[in-house]
């Protein structure tokens, strides 16, 4: 670490200390950047942003704010869905020449619901090394802040804007055995919550996570019906992640129905295979079903 009066292009600043970035190996570096609070950047991300031979971003004005905060003089170049056909080959050519290329989105982790996915896929297909630099992620921040189950989750990006297409998509993910996460516009959150309550069930638990890591961060929790009522015709600002809890587990089948199934299967299969097949059909533990088969046989 050293303190210099003037920073070189390959340095970054932490408070009053100017730090030299170490050389980077040739690769495409996918760098996660803050989703709101600029203090959430990682030290590794700063070093990559300062040391990369090329730095590509969605909006140079947005990225410039972050670079200025940490005294990084690397000049960003635009890479987004509207110029990908032109900018992409230039970045790939730089990789082919053995240079290091850093890619950032406006906020959060690159390639997650942004056009960087195309560049990452092409780089991999071309045999280039791709290195993730992990850090801030809006879906994960929303998940852990929502208080909803996080042992299994499904990130579904943005829902369609048209009501029928939105409801069709919700129907597709209705039975996913995990918590659902969506990006949503503040202008559509009321309509989306109404559709979700209709399709997924009014009593399903959910959380509207707004302005994550920013000054007016908000987590509003409740059932889909309660949230739909709250946001109905309400003016909302800021970026939103909608988190919806998993579906309720299916009700256990009645014991008489289980016994009927076991007897029917036992007419053609040995006890072990009966238990396996019955477990598949009912979701009940195999060992309990096997024990019940034996009891039925003893009962005659």
């Amino acid at each position: 670490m050293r303190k210099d009066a003037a920073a070189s292009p390959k340095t970054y600043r932490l408070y009053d200390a100017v730090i030299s970035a170490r050389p980077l190996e040739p690769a495409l570096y996918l760098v996660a950047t803050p989703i709101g609070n600029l203090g959430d950047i990682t030290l590794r991300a700063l070093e990559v942003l300062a040391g990369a031979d090329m730095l590509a971003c969605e909006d140079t004005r947005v990225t410039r704010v972050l670079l200025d905060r940490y005294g990084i003089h690397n000049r960003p170049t635009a890479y987004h869905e509207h110029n990908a056909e032109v900018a992409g080959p230039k970045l790939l050519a730089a990789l082919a020449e053995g240079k290091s290329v850093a890619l950032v989105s406006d906020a959060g982790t690159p390639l997650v619901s942004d056009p960087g996915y195309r560049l990452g896929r092409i780089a991999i297909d071309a045999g280039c090394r791709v290195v993730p630099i992990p850090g801030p992620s809006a879906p994960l921040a929303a998940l852990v802040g929502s208080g909803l189950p996080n042992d299994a989750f499904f990130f579904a990006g943005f829902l369609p804007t048209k009501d029928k297409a939105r409801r069709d998509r919700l129907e597709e993910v209705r039975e996913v055995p995990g918590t659902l996460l969506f990006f949503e516009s503040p202008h559509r959150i009321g309509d989306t919550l109404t559709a979700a309550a209709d399709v997924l069930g009014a009593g399903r638990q959910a959380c509207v996570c707004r302005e994550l890591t920013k000054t007016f961060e908000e987590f509003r929790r409740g059932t889909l019906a309660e949230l739909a009522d709250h946001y109905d015709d309400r003016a909302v600002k800021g970026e939103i992640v909608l988190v919806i809890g998993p579906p309720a587990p299916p009700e256990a089948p009645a014991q008489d129905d289980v016994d009927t199934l076991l007897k029917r299967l036992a007419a053609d299969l040995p006890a072990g295979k009966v238990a396996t097949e019955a477990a598949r059909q009912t979701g009940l533990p195999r060992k309990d079903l096997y024990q019940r088969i034996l009891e039925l046989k003893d009962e005659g």
Side-chain angles (χ1 to χ4, degrees):
M1 181 180 298
R2 59 185 175 84
K3 297 180 181 180
D4 291 343
S8 73
K10 297 289 186 179
T11 61
Y12 59 97
R13 186 180 65 247
L14 285 177
Y15 302 104
D16 62 343
V18 177
I19 305 170
S20 295
R22 291 169 294 183
L24 294 174
E25 295 182 3
L28 174 62
Y29 294 85
L30 308 175
V31 185
T33 55
I35 59 177
N37 190 320
L38 295 183
D40 290 337
I41 193 75
T42 69
L43 293 177
R44 188 182 178 201
L46 290 175
E47 187 164 53
V48 171
L49 294 179
D53 295 318
M54 293 188 69
L55 171 56
C57 62
E58 284 187 80
D59 188 326
T60 57
R61 295 165 298 180
V62 172
T63 299
R64 189 73 263 168
V65 173
L66 175 64
L67 300 180
D68 288 346
R69 165 70 178 271
Y70 290 100
I72 296 173
H73 295 267
N74 209 346
R75 182 178 179 181
T77 182
Y79 175 82
H80 47 72
E81 61 181 341
H82 301 298
N83 77 342
E85 295 298 329
V86 175
K90 294 180 180 178
L91 297 175
L92 292 172
L95 290 170
E97 294 170 4
K99 293 181 179 180
S100 57
V101 176
L103 176 68
V104 300
S105 62
D106 283 349
T109 302
L111 276 63
V112 178
S113 287
D114 80 39
Y117 171 79
R118 186 190 311 179
L119 181 64
R121 183 68 260 173
I122 295 174
I124 290 172
D125 291 342
C128 299
R129 185 183 176 205
V130 175
V131 180
I133 307 297
S137 169
L140 292 180
L143 179 65
V144 299
S146 69
L148 294 168
N150 56 26
D151 55 327
F153 58 91
F154 180 76
F155 173 63
F158 287 95
L159 284 166
T161 58
K162 301 295 184 180
D163 186 64
K164 183 181 185 306
R166 181 191 298 127
R167 289 170 182 265
D168 288 345
R169 178 58 174 152
L170 288 168
E171 184 64 38
E172 290 174 357
V173 300
R174 185 168 63 88
E175 298 300 331
V176 170
T179 294
L180 304 174
L181 298 102
F182 304 95
F183 286 153
E184 191 49 278
S185 160
H187 309 296
R188 293 193 296 268
I189 186 62
D191 292 339
T192 291
L193 286 165
T194 297
D198 291 344
V199 176
L200 304 180
R204 197 152 161 177
Q205 292 294 315
C207 181
V208 175
C209 309
R210 189 177 64 86
E211 291 291 85
L212 291 168
T213 79
K214 300 176 184 177
T215 302
F216 299 104
E217 178 181 79
E218 178 186 41
F219 294 90
R220 182 167 292 276
R221 305 172 180 88
T223 65
L224 284 172
E226 292 168 342
L227 292 172
D229 181 67
H230 176 81
Y231 286 101
D232 183 38
D233 292 328
R234 182 183 295 267
V236 183
K237 295 182 179 180
E239 297 175 332
I240 290 174
V241 181
L242 173 60
V243 186
I244 303 176
E251 294 184 8
Q255 187 61 54
D256 287 346
D257 293 335
V258 175
D259 288 350
T260 299
L261 174 64
L262 293 174
K263 291 175 181 178
R264 178 170 60 80
L265 292 173
D268 301 308
L269 298 171
K273 290 187 176 181
V274 169
T276 299
E277 177 60 20
R280 186 188 68 80
Q281 293 189 32
T282 64
L284 297 173
R286 182 184 182 280
K287 66 176 182 178
D288 293 347
L289 293 168
Y290 185 82
Q291 182 62 38
R292 182 57 182 161
I293 295 168
L294 298 181
E295 293 173 357
L296 291 173
K297 286 186 176 181
D298 290 341
E299 293 172 6

